[in-house]
Amino acid sequence: MTDIRISKILEGLRGTVEIPADKSISHRAMMFSSLAKGRSLIKNFSSGADPHSTLDVFSKLGIKHNFIDEKTLEIVSDGALKAPSGELDCGNSGTTMRLMSGILAGQNFDSVLIGDESLSKRPMRRVIEPISLMGGEIQSVDGHAPLKIVGRPLHGIDYVSKIASAQVKSCVLLAGLFADGITSVTEPYISRNHTELMLKYLGADLTVEGKKVSVRGSKLEAKEIDICGDISSAAFFIVAGLIVPESDIILKNVGLNPTRTGILDVVRDMGGNIEILDKREAAGEISGDLRIRYSVLKACEISGEIIPRLIDELPVIAVLATQAQGQTIVKDAGDLRNKESDRIAAIVRELKKIGAQIEETPDGFIINGKTLLEGGAEVETYHDHRLAMSLYVAGLVARKEILIKDFQWVDISFPEFLNLFNILTGR
Ligand code: S3P
């Protein structure tokens, strides 16, 4: 257990840092390369614990990987998975558990997916239901992990999802790779589309029409995949740069896929000074460098289609809103209660402890700003990496030092977090 103390930054954040690899894309790169026949090369693979849970799961399914250097991964696969010798441990990773449910449902063997305490509380009916409509079988107690996946022949479906969730969409599309006929998923709003972009890049027979994605049974090609930086990790630096007076920072190699850039739209709406310096494309994904400067911010409303485009950023957006003039309202974000923690309850409770004017609503929160955060309190992280990092950013502007309990949870997505912050703060 690692508790850390964080105190106010008296001078602005300055300098340039490179943002580490995208977690969502890292999972998919490992999964899809394992399903492709031949030699795949993944460059800039994430060092987060979650993508490493995916690596461990595939090792148990007979797919060997080899780190050529710290971040470059070689996978040589014959395109087929083997029955696992034991349970497949997804750790804290919802993406691993839900996407693997789709991949494993159509195999000719059974498997069991398990997870840690937090993952075992998260809802899995959202994947069990569509997989059973495809003729598959996933057994669980109460719709939670452990999940026993009974491998079965699957058939395509035209699935209309009630929630905008990339994990649900990806689960169904991946099951569709092994199913007879066409499998389609329609969602209420477009969620992150990394699965679609990467499957297409690797040669799958996949089409997108508005909010509907369709796939046919396909073999994937082994290729090189270069992973861009994670905008969800960049978000902590974006917010810190905007709210710590006199800051002027550059974040290099940030993923700018439009299904993920909701935070940039919100920042612009609030009057934040953010510039995109350079844009490029690799494996279907756009990335670029960002310059962020301290800004005078105004409140805004965040709801509807933008929610899935910034779902993981909402805890740190709450911190941002405490420093914006007026009332910021976040709604339509009820699924935030089903993440690594109940992020609505958790961020509201912890930010209140340090002086924020924030109230919980069933599907979001309301914040009145601008508030000088008082600090001087102990805050909890709820086994949740994004809670830990959001509270760290709040600590940078709080009047008195705060103590963050169990800060080690950052390692789930962003082990480099403190080192990179130290570069910009000079600590
Ligand atoms: C993810 C999808 C999102 C996101 C999660 C990663 C993915 O979850 O919150 O951190 O990689 O597909 P939902 O699909 O449950 O919204």
Side-chain angles (χ1 to χ4, degrees):
M1 298 297 155
T2 319
D3 300 346
I4 65 158
R5 290 175 190 280
I6 161 87
S7 58
K8 186 171 176 146
I9 291 284
L10 299 173
E11 284 151 32
L13 272 64
R14 295 278 162 159
T16 301
V17 288
E18 171 141 359
I19 298 299
D22 190 281
K23 174 163 84 71
S24 289
I25 302 177
S26 293
H27 283 295
R28 287 156 173 85
M30 179 58 197
M31 290 177 182
F32 306 170
S33 297
S34 300
L35 299 176
K37 189 171 177 174
R39 176 180 181 268
S40 302
L41 200 65
I42 305 175
K43 292 186 170 165
N44 196 30
F45 189 77
S46 165
S47 53
D50 270 7
H52 282 258
S53 293
T54 293
L55 289 188
D56 294 343
V57 163
F58 277 97
S59 298
K60 285 217 167 140
L61 291 164
I63 307 292
K64 294 196 178 71
H65 63 264
N66 167 36
F67 274 100
I68 293 174
D69 60 40
E70 211 190 328
K71 292 183 180 173
T72 311
L73 194 53
E74 179 192 55
I75 293 134
V76 180
S77 168
D78 60 8
L81 305 177
K82 294 185 182 62
S85 47
E87 292 171 331
L88 302 170
D89 189 352
C90 304
N92 187 246
S93 173
T95 306
T96 308
M97 185 165 282
R98 297 201 177 110
L99 271 60
M100 289 314 297
S101 300
I103 290 175
L104 293 168
Q107 305 294 327
N108 57 7
F109 54 78
D110 300 348
S111 36
V112 175
L113 296 171
I114 59 166
D116 72 3
E117 198 187 318
S118 142
L119 183 54
S120 303
K121 288 188 194 139
R122 296 179 64 184
M124 294 297 150
R125 283 216 172 91
R126 53 183 67 194
V127 294
I128 297 174
E129 219 176 80
I131 292 297
S132 27
L133 292 171
M134 297 178 79
E137 183 179 346
I138 302 180
Q139 299 169 358
S140 77
V141 179
D142 280 349
H144 295 100
L147 301 181
K148 179 169 180 191
I149 321 268
V150 183
R152 288 230 178 123
L154 304 176
H155 55 78
I157 45 164
D158 192 348
Y159 188 64
V160 179
S161 175
K162 284 191 227 57
I163 47 172
S165 157
Q167 294 180 353
V168 171
K169 173 175 62 177
S170 302
C171 167
V172 178
L173 293 174
L174 292 170
L177 287 181
F178 300 94
D180 268 350
I182 302 175
T183 300
S184 303
V185 185
T186 307
E187 31 179 13
Y189 301 121
I190 298 178
S191 63
R192 65 191 66 191
N193 65 356
H194 304 303
T195 295
E196 296 91 301
L197 294 180
M198 198 180 291
L199 285 180
K200 262 198 128 152
Y201 172 68
L202 300 179
D205 184 354
L206 180 140
T207 52
V208 180
E209 290 164 85
K211 295 177 195 138
K212 181 172 183 171
V213 188
S214 306
V215 73
R216 281 177 187 276
S218 304
K219 296 266 179 244
L220 303 180
E221 293 162 33
K223 282 194 177 177
E224 185 173 307
I225 301 170
D226 198 348
I227 301 174
C228 57
D230 198 327
I231 191 166
S232 299
S233 298
F236 303 103
F237 295 89
I238 293 173
V239 171
L242 290 168
I243 67 175
V244 175
E246 292 173 50
S247 295
D248 186 352
I249 57 173
I250 290 181
L251 309 176
K252 295 202 82 92
N253 194 27
V254 181
L256 296 174
N257 177 320
T259 63
R260 296 283 300 279
T261 50
I263 184 166
L264 301 187
D265 298 350
V266 163
V267 166
R268 284 193 197 103
D269 226 28
M270 290 178 132
N273 193 335
I274 193 158
E275 243 178 292
I276 298 177
L277 298 180
D278 180 24
K279 267 195 179 180
R280 39 198 183 268
E281 201 191 309
E285 296 283 354
I286 306 166
S287 59
D289 302 339
L290 300 179
R291 180 176 182 190
I292 292 110
R293 278 173 277 184
Y294 171 73
S295 304
V296 174
L297 302 166
K298 57 180 191 310
C300 71
E301 185 175 315
I302 304 171
S303 62
E305 72 78 32
I306 200 171
I307 296 295
R309 297 175 53 235
L310 47 62
I311 187 78
D312 290 341
E313 288 64 79
L314 284 170
V316 77
I317 287 174
V319 176
L320 180 70
T322 68
Q323 302 306 301
Q325 195 57 48
Q327 186 168 75
T328 295
I329 301 176
V330 173
K331 40 185 189 190
D332 304 326
D335 209 30
L336 210 51
R337 295 191 185 276
N338 296 317
K339 299 293 177 185
E340 286 84 331
S341 68
D342 174 345
R343 284 185 176 154
I344 294 178
I347 196 71
V348 169
R349 198 176 308 133
E350 300 311 306
L351 285 181
K352 266 190 175 169
K353 283 186 190 166
I354 58 171
Q357 291 179 32
I358 179 167
E359 293 304 329
E360 184 174 341
T361 62
D363 64 347
F365 39 79
I366 298 173
I367 297 169
N368 285 300
K370 176 179 182 173
T371 314
L372 173 64
L373 296 177
E374 189 49 30
E378 239 180 63
V379 288
E380 307 285 334
T381 49
Y382 304 80
H383 297 200
D384 187 334
H385 53 130
R386 297 201 201 281
L387 244 291
M389 294 186 279
S390 301
L391 293 168
Y392 180 95
V393 174
L396 294 174
V397 294
R399 204 170 72 81
K400 287 191 235 145
E401 184 179 87
I402 67 171
L403 182 120
I404 308 179
K405 307 273 281 177
D406 296 334
F407 196 71
Q408 74 280 2
W409 285 99
V410 298
D411 291 349
I412 288 295
S413 64
F414 198 175
E416 305 86 347
F417 179 85
L418 276 183
N419 281 344
L420 295 187
F421 255 107
N422 287 342
I423 292 173
L424 299 180
T425 58
R427 282 182 168 168

